[in-house]
Amino acid sequence: MTEEDKASNKQRKAEREQLREELLEAQFELNRQQKGPVLLLISGNDFAGKAEVIHSFYEWLDNRYLHTRAFSLPQGIERRMPRLWRYWRTLPPSGELGFYLGSWYHQPLMQLSRGKLSNNRFQSQMQDIARFEQLLCDGGAAVLKIWLHLTDDQQDKHQPPAPALLRQTVAMREWGDFSAADYEKVRAGARLMSELTSTERAPWVRVSASDPHQRDMEIGQLVLQTIQHHLQSKAAEPVPATWRSAVDNRLQQLDYQQTLDKAEYQRQLQYWQTRLRNLMQHPRFARRSLLLVFEGSDAAGKGGTIRRITQCIDPRLLRVHGTRAPTDEERRMPYLWRFWRRIPAPGNVVVFDRSYYGRVLVERVEGFCSDADWQRAYGEINDFERQLSDSGTLVIKFWLAISEEEQLKRFQEREDSAVKRYKLTEEDWRNRKRWPAYVEAMNDMLENTSSVDVPWHLVVSEDKRHARIETLKILCRQLARALE
Amino acid sequence: MTEEDKASNKQRKAEREQLREELLEAQFELNRQQKGPVLLLISGNDFAGKAEVIHSFYEWLDNRYLHTRAFSLPQGIERRMPRLWRYWRTLPPSGELGFYLGSWYHQPLMQLSRGKLSNNRFQSQMQDIARFEQLLCDGGAAVLKIWLHLTDDQQDKHQPPAPALLRQTVAMREWGDFSAADYEKVRAGARLMSELTSTERAPWVRVSASDPHQRDMEIGQLVLQTIQHHLQSKAAEPVPATWRSAVDNRLQQLDYQQTLDKAEYQRQLQYWQTRLRNLMQHPRFARRSLLLVFEGSDAAGKGGTIRRITQCIDPRLLRVHGTRAPTDEERRMPYLWRFWRRIPAPGNVVVFDRSYYGRVLVERVEGFCSDADWQRAYGEINDFERQLSDSGTLVIKFWLAISEEEQLKRFQEREDSAVKRYKLTEEDWRNRKRWPAYVEAMNDMLENTSSVDVPWHLVVSEDKRHARIETLKILCRQLARALE
């Protein structure tokens, strides 16, 4: 080694050490402040050393707050769930760093370049991804996307790689050999991807991979700037309102007089429960799944209505979730994470007794979240439900409606009943005082989250028997149509 | 319907309603007090209506705090993890109810009766299960195990079942047809199972399934009594001490003089890191997994030592967990749950930077748990590590030892260093004052958790270079031996 080399080595080492100190400091601050996670996506040429970059970070940073995620083709159950599900369930929590090798971009890009995905479908998947990243950023995360490139010259120099290296290349293993023409397609796809998904808050940055030291230093600096900028950023700015305030009071337009006598109820209950049991046995249901969302005023009869349904479902395939305050693991994640982690697997049924709609109902009314949070939530929820629908989940949502007078009557009854006493809390009486605010929130919710595929079903529950039969009827009809 | 039938029907209905009120009240109290979960295992004759029993509970109780788990043969990754892993990861949390169809008993019982498991191995699995249930009860759970039986007569009457029912019978689907002789074997196995695993706190109770109403009422009453008894029970009694207090101070017997000069360190580091990289590529490692446990005094150099190892491991296969205070989801589970949820999958590496040994170290010394809790923990931890070993995980645990003087020196250095400053907290100074108590706890830990398969490796870390090389050496040698 010449004196010159030695000096250059020494300087490189000093540079790395300096960067390490700054990165460690930033990592510590991120963790201390529990700011949203910082996600680093590393894509690009197969021989550009993506894994080596991550190794450098493991050398520099506190290993306890790093998470590396590597995604290749979806496996097993992942193939039957919404495309983004496997990324949702493995998001790093607030205060920590997530490194992605083979991120949500890997599969569409490879499929496009292998001719397995049309340009149109690729573009639509890119839009889904852009919305997903926007949701993450709105929820407090910072996202940095690196594209490592080599010039053609360098590419040649790096090829043909040793067989051992080839085996380690995910794309090679999964997609077979790549010709020069294939690489050209990947590059073209990457340009399109970058155009469609490079945003101010989640930009694509091209980094040259020709010199490993320079490459790692450059990415290290980018990550450092991202964390520092993230630490200084204020809470998300209010977004332009894309939601509409409701004009009508749909609750007022309902007919609260509908009743059902006991004998007729028994007859219909038996009919519709048998129908539901048969539908649940339908061979096609094994490939579908069912998400039932129940919302409504306190004491509207959600529990009893849900029980009339769950009686018809194999308990092995059923989960009923009462939505409560988030746990501290859930608080470190974007709002919808705790619902993503509970969506039904194929052949299964999940019932949400209260749901993610809490964001635009109780959290809005009680001020548990910012205005921007609940205003944004309409779009996020629509996206969530559309992704479920697209992957074969039948989402059916019910609003059980009762009048203010009926609620009072039921509260008073609950105070006297052994079976129901425990259901009534101080909070219920408090919520009741905010009836008009809840009515407004509910009408806005109907206005902004009723799609053709996942409409709201308003069920008058003034008479519980009527409501139970009505709910079973709607459920059976929707299910029958879906299984046709 | 005769008048007599009507009267009998009416009485049955009244009985059910009465039971329902009491069960709901008990369920509510369980939830309010957040007592450990109540687990109900329902096994027995295939045509005795196990699923129907669960249905009754769904009719009676608040569906939001019930969980039904159905386990049949292990699938996919379950087959390569410790046998009890799939039960651990799906335990219901405190305050809730878990119903098991096809519990941890299903597979061994079926294997025994199909001649696929020797009597000896069956007995040893029953002992594992008994210890598992004891751990659950010690951790605050209540366990009730129901065996539903039909007389031979009734069995005949229930057979042959309709094809639809047959399809639904898990055992039938998985194990093929059953002859009368096979049923006799299942019954014999069940008797043995009951003898081996019926304990005071987790008893087997036989219930006749001949009359569905009586069956459900009897089980309902049993569950009610179990919950009520559980609610009245005090915290677990101190267990008879099965642990031994250490006689020697092993920390004092170590040689704190060992050092390594920089050049030799660089040479050896390169040698052992290359060796480790090669071992990680060994084809056999894909079927094994590695759990590294790091414990030691504050400032003993765990982080730096861990980084020298993680540099050699593909980050896609690696997780480093810094053990912190439990989250609230973790607090609602038995102590070891948060470590069970993090054990490595085949081909993966998990590093615990501090670990479940916190129970017998910091929690003992600081009084964060009861004496019974940490005294019991030695056995529970040995069991946990043995289960990991048995299923192919190589568990290697290191204690990094430094002297009291060296620690003081490092604390002072940390205060001055940019990179290390964030590592030093008030807590570290506080812990330091309890040095003798930690030494005692550490020696007791060595005495009670050093098995032949999973021994402790004491590494003197007075000189960090020495400690890093020593750790790499031990790791490489253990790994090489395991992959032979």
Side-chain angles (χ1 to χ4, degrees):
Chain A
M1 206 184 276
T2 66
E3 282 307 310
E4 206 173 317
D5 282 349
K6 269 189 194 164
S8 151
N9 258 352
K10 208 172 165 181
Q11 197 200 331
R12 287 183 163 205
K13 217 180 146 184
E15 278 173 24
R16 282 178 83 95
E17 193 51 31
Q18 167 74 19
L19 177 60
R20 179 177 173 228
E21 283 187 22
E22 290 173 353
L23 273 169
L24 253 182
E25 186 78 17
Q27 186 193 20
F28 168 65
E29 262 312 293
L30 181 70
N31 200 265
R32 201 186 60 78
Q33 294 185 21
Q34 288 285 301
K35 273 248 179 179
V38 174
L39 312 187
L40 174 68
L41 278 56
I42 303 190
S43 298
N45 191 287
D46 272 341
F47 307 107
K50 288 176 278 195
E52 285 76 2
V53 173
I54 309 257
H55 262 305
S56 290
F57 283 100
Y58 273 82
E59 198 184 312
W60 290 331
L61 295 170
D62 189 326
N63 287 201
R64 292 171 298 176
Y65 310 114
L66 305 182
H67 305 270
T68 297
R69 307 281 186 244
F71 292 98
S72 46
L73 288 183
Q75 302 291 330
I77 196 173
E78 292 173 349
R79 306 171 66 155
R80 301 163 74 193
M81 298 298 268
R83 248 194 312 275
L84 294 175
W85 176 71
R86 56 185 183 142
Y87 309 112
W88 267 100
R89 61 200 292 257
T90 53
L91 282 176
S94 294
E96 309 199 357
L97 298 172
F99 297 137
Y100 287 82
L101 285 168
S103 63
W104 34 90
Y105 290 100
H106 177 70
Q107 202 193 359
L109 189 56
M110 285 296 143
Q111 284 185 322
L112 178 75
S113 54
R114 301 302 262 183
K116 291 184 175 177
L117 199 65
S118 70
N119 245 46
N120 272 351
R121 288 182 63 89
F122 179 75
Q123 295 204 13
S124 123
Q125 288 194 24
M126 288 302 111
Q127 281 156 11
D128 287 349
I129 287 176
R131 273 199 302 276
F132 173 54
E133 290 178 354
Q134 191 189 331
L135 181 153
L136 294 177
C137 292
D138 285 336
V143 178
L144 174 64
K145 300 176 287 194
I146 302 280
W147 184 266
L148 285 181
H149 70 96
L150 292 167
T151 62
D152 277 345
D153 248 29
Q154 291 159 346
Q155 173 101 349
D156 284 347
K157 209 173 65 187
H158 284 73
Q159 274 177 346
L165 186 56
L166 255 182
R167 245 186 313 155
Q168 282 176 50
T169 304
V170 174
M172 290 276 170
R173 222 165 36 215
E174 292 194 326
W175 304 90
D177 285 338
F178 274 67
S179 67
D182 291 327
Y183 271 110
E184 193 36 60
K185 282 189 204 153
V186 173
R187 269 197 288 257
R191 276 191 297 270
L192 186 53
M193 168 185 94
S194 171
E195 271 168 41
L196 293 169
T197 64
S198 209
T199 62
E200 199 186 327
R201 293 196 296 175
W204 276 105
V205 181
R206 280 170 64 86
V207 171
S208 164
S210 44
D211 177 286
H213 171 74
Q214 287 304 333
R215 173 196 69 197
D216 293 0
M217 289 298 292
E218 191 174 342
I219 297 176
Q221 290 290 353
L222 285 165
V223 169
L224 178 63
Q225 285 158 20
T226 302
I227 302 178
Q228 286 172 339
H229 181 261
H230 185 48
L231 288 169
Q232 282 150 20
S233 68
K234 298 272 177 292
E237 297 292 300
V239 284
T242 54
W243 63 290
R244 296 177 304 274
S245 188
V247 179
D248 293 342
N249 182 350
R250 297 226 354 231
L251 283 180
Q252 222 162 32
Q253 297 159 359
L254 299 171
D255 172 8
Y256 289 85
Q257 306 302 316
Q258 304 163 81
T259 57
L260 207 57
D261 74 41
K262 198 168 175 184
E264 181 63 13
Y265 168 68
Q266 291 293 2
R267 205 187 60 74
Q268 291 218 27
L269 184 67
Q270 197 175 4
Y271 175 81
W272 288 108
Q273 285 195 330
T274 306
R275 177 99 178 99
L276 179 54
R277 277 192 194 96
N278 289 335
L279 285 165
M280 293 302 305
Q281 305 279 344
H282 194 295
R284 261 188 223 135
F285 187 73
R287 279 175 287 137
R288 303 296 299 268
S289 60
L290 181 60
L291 176 65
L292 300 178
V293 173
F294 280 86
E295 292 284 353
S297 313
D298 292 324
K302 291 188 292 294
T305 305
I306 290 170
R307 267 207 314 282
R308 296 313 178 283
I309 293 168
T310 53
Q311 282 164 15
C312 311
I313 298 172
D314 184 336
R316 285 168 287 200
L317 306 176
L318 168 75
R319 302 269 161 114
V320 180
H321 288 292
T323 297
R324 290 166 274 185
T327 64
D328 38 46
E329 287 180 47
E330 289 167 347
R331 273 178 226 278
R332 294 180 69 191
M333 294 295 188
Y335 178 72
L336 283 175
W337 182 76
R338 59 189 175 123
F339 303 100
W340 270 103
R341 75 194 286 211
R342 295 190 163 119
I343 62 173
N348 282 246
V349 180
V350 166
V351 180
F352 284 145
D353 184 344
R354 302 206 182 279
S355 68
Y356 41 90
Y357 282 100
R359 192 69 157 185
V360 297
L361 297 168
V362 60
E363 295 200 21
R364 168 185 175 178
V365 172
E366 305 290 338
F368 294 156
C369 65
S370 73
D371 284 353
D373 284 339
W374 64 259
Q375 289 170 7
R376 220 170 42 225
Y378 298 119
E380 293 176 353
I381 287 172
N382 287 335
D383 247 10
F384 173 51
E385 291 180 346
R386 187 182 47 74
Q387 291 178 63
L388 285 168
S389 286
D390 285 352
S391 72
T393 300
L394 179 61
V395 183
I396 310 181
K397 47 196 194 190
F398 296 98
W399 179 275
L400 299 193
I402 52 171
S403 66
E404 225 178 325
E405 303 74 47
E406 179 64 21
Q407 188 188 52
L408 181 63
K409 213 178 93 198
R410 292 189 187 174
F411 277 14
Q412 286 161 348
E413 275 169 18
R414 282 188 174 185
E415 287 188 324
D416 301 331
S417 155
V419 181
K420 292 176 176 169
R421 200 182 54 222
Y422 77 92
K423 285 182 168 179
L424 193 67
T425 64
E426 279 304 307
E427 210 183 315
D428 295 330
W429 287 107
R430 213 165 47 237
N431 291 346
R432 192 175 148 72
K433 290 192 188 139
R434 296 186 187 254
W435 188 276
Y438 277 102
V439 169
E440 187 192 349
M442 185 274 180
N443 279 307
D444 287 347
M445 175 189 85
L446 288 181
E447 178 72 27
N448 292 281
T449 61
S450 297
S451 66
V452 178
D453 281 341
V454 193
W456 273 101
H457 299 279
L458 304 190
V459 176
V460 172
S461 192
E462 203 83 346
D463 176 85
K464 283 185 185 177
R465 291 194 288 254
H466 166 80
R468 287 169 188 174
I469 298 302
E470 196 60 24
T471 308
L472 275 165
K473 250 191 231 178
I474 292 167
L475 170 54
C476 288
R477 284 175 181 161
Q478 297 281 320
L479 199 51
R481 210 169 56 181
L483 296 176
E484 249 166 27
Chain B
M1 206 186 273
T2 67
E3 283 305 311
E4 207 173 317
D5 283 349
K6 270 190 193 161
S8 150
N9 258 352
K10 207 171 166 185
Q11 198 200 329
R12 287 183 163 203
K13 216 180 148 187
E15 278 173 24
R16 283 179 82 98
E17 193 51 28
Q18 166 74 18
L19 177 60
R20 180 179 171 225
E21 283 187 20
E22 291 173 354
L23 273 169
L24 253 183
E25 186 79 15
Q27 187 193 19
F28 169 65
E29 261 312 292
L30 181 70
N31 200 263
R32 203 186 59 79
Q33 294 185 23
Q34 287 284 303
K35 273 246 178 178
V38 174
L39 312 187
L40 175 68
L41 279 56
I42 304 192
S43 298
N45 192 287
D46 271 341
F47 308 107
K50 287 175 279 194
E52 285 76 2
V53 173
I54 309 257
H55 263 304
S56 289
F57 283 101
Y58 274 81
E59 198 184 312
W60 289 331
L61 295 170
D62 189 326
N63 287 202
R64 292 171 299 176
Y65 310 114
L66 306 181
H67 305 271
T68 297
R69 307 282 187 242
F71 291 99
S72 46
L73 288 182
Q75 302 292 332
I77 196 173
E78 293 174 346
R79 307 171 66 155
R80 302 163 74 193
M81 298 298 267
R83 247 193 313 274
L84 293 175
W85 176 72
R86 56 185 183 142
Y87 308 112
W88 267 100
R89 62 201 291 257
T90 53
L91 282 176
S94 293
E96 309 199 359
L97 299 171
F99 296 138
Y100 287 83
L101 285 169
S103 63
W104 34 89
Y105 291 100
H106 177 72
Q107 202 194 358
L109 189 55
M110 284 295 142
Q111 284 185 319
L112 179 76
S113 55
R114 301 303 263 184
K116 291 184 174 175
L117 198 66
S118 71
N119 245 45
N120 271 350
R121 287 182 64 90
F122 178 76
Q123 296 205 13
S124 121
Q125 288 194 21
M126 289 301 111
Q127 282 157 11
D128 287 349
I129 286 176
R131 274 200 300 276
F132 173 54
E133 290 178 354
Q134 190 189 330
L135 180 153
L136 294 177
C137 293
D138 285 336
V143 179
L144 174 63
K145 300 175 287 194
I146 303 281
W147 184 266
L148 284 182
H149 71 94
L150 292 168
T151 61
D152 279 345
D153 249 28
Q154 291 159 346
Q155 172 101 351
D156 285 346
K157 210 174 62 188
H158 285 73
Q159 275 177 342
L165 186 57
L166 253 181
R167 245 187 312 156
Q168 282 177 51
T169 303
V170 174
M172 290 275 171
R173 224 168 32 217
E174 293 195 323
W175 303 89
D177 285 337
F178 273 66
S179 67
D182 291 328
Y183 271 110
E184 194 35 60
K185 281 190 205 152
V186 173
R187 271 197 287 258
R191 276 191 297 271
L192 185 54
M193 168 186 94
S194 171
E195 272 169 39
L196 293 169
T197 64
S198 211
T199 62
E200 201 187 325
R201 293 196 294 175
W204 276 105
V205 181
R206 280 171 64 87
V207 171
S208 164
S210 44
D211 176 283
H213 170 75
Q214 288 303 334
R215 174 196 67 197
D216 293 0
M217 289 298 293
E218 191 174 341
I219 297 176
Q221 290 291 352
L222 285 165
V223 169
L224 178 63
Q225 285 158 21
T226 303
I227 302 178
Q228 287 172 339
H229 182 259
H230 185 48
L231 288 170
Q232 282 149 22
S233 67
K234 299 270 177 296
E237 297 291 299
V239 285
T242 54
W243 63 289
R244 296 178 305 274
S245 185
V247 179
D248 294 343
N249 182 349
R250 296 227 352 233
L251 284 180
Q252 220 162 35
Q253 298 161 0
L254 299 172
D255 173 9
Y256 288 84
Q257 307 302 318
Q258 304 162 82
T259 57
L260 207 58
D261 72 40
K262 197 166 175 184
E264 180 63 12
Y265 168 69
Q266 292 292 3
R267 204 186 60 75
Q268 292 217 26
L269 184 67
Q270 195 173 5
Y271 175 81
W272 288 108
Q273 285 195 330
T274 306
R275 177 97 178 99
L276 179 55
R277 275 191 197 98
N278 289 335
L279 284 165
M280 293 302 305
Q281 304 278 344
H282 194 294
R284 264 189 221 133
F285 187 71
R287 280 175 288 135
R288 303 295 299 268
S289 60
L290 181 60
L291 176 65
L292 299 178
V293 174
F294 280 85
E295 292 283 353
S297 312
D298 293 323
K302 291 188 292 294
T305 306
I306 289 170
R307 267 207 315 282
R308 296 314 178 285
I309 292 168
T310 53
Q311 282 165 15
C312 312
I313 298 172
D314 184 336
R316 287 168 286 201
L317 306 177
L318 168 74
R319 302 267 161 114
V320 180
H321 288 292
T323 298
R324 291 166 273 184
T327 64
D328 38 47
E329 286 180 51
E330 289 168 346
R331 273 179 228 277
R332 294 180 68 191
M333 294 296 189
Y335 178 72
L336 284 175
W337 182 77
R338 60 190 172 122
F339 303 100
W340 271 104
R341 74 192 288 209
R342 296 189 162 121
I343 62 173
N348 281 245
V349 180
V350 165
V351 180
F352 284 145
D353 184 343
R354 302 207 183 279
S355 68
Y356 41 89
Y357 282 100
R359 192 70 157 184
V360 297
L361 296 168
V362 58
E363 296 200 21
R364 168 186 176 178
V365 172
E366 305 291 339
F368 294 157
C369 66
S370 73
D371 284 353
D373 283 340
W374 64 259
Q375 289 169 9
R376 222 172 38 228
Y378 298 119
E380 292 175 354
I381 287 171
N382 287 334
D383 249 9
F384 173 53
E385 292 179 346
R386 188 183 45 75
Q387 291 178 63
L388 285 168
S389 286
D390 285 353
S391 71
T393 301
L394 179 61
V395 183
I396 310 181
K397 46 196 194 189
F398 297 97
W399 179 275
L400 299 193
I402 52 171
S403 66
E404 226 179 320
E405 303 74 49
E406 178 65 22
Q407 189 189 51
L408 180 62
K409 212 178 94 198
R410 292 190 187 172
F411 277 13
Q412 286 161 348
E413 275 169 18
R414 282 189 174 185
E415 287 188 324
D416 302 331
S417 156
V419 182
K420 291 175 176 172
R421 199 181 53 221
Y422 78 93
K423 285 181 167 179
L424 193 67
T425 65
E426 279 305 308
E427 209 183 317
D428 294 330
W429 288 107
R430 211 164 50 236
N431 290 346
R432 190 173 151 74
K433 289 191 187 137
R434 295 187 186 254
W435 187 276
Y438 276 103
V439 169
E440 188 192 347
M442 185 273 180
N443 279 307
D444 286 348
M445 175 189 85
L446 289 181
E447 178 72 28
N448 291 282
T449 61
S450 297
S451 66
V452 178
D453 281 341
V454 192
W456 274 101
H457 298 280
L458 304 189
V459 175
V460 172
S461 191
E462 204 81 349
D463 175 87
K464 284 185 184 176
R465 292 194 288 255
H466 166 80
R468 288 170 187 173
I469 298 301
E470 195 62 22
T471 308
L472 275 165
K473 248 191 232 179
I474 293 167
L475 169 54
C476 287
R477 284 175 181 160
Q478 296 282 322
L479 198 52
R481 211 169 56 179
L483 296 176
E484 249 167 28

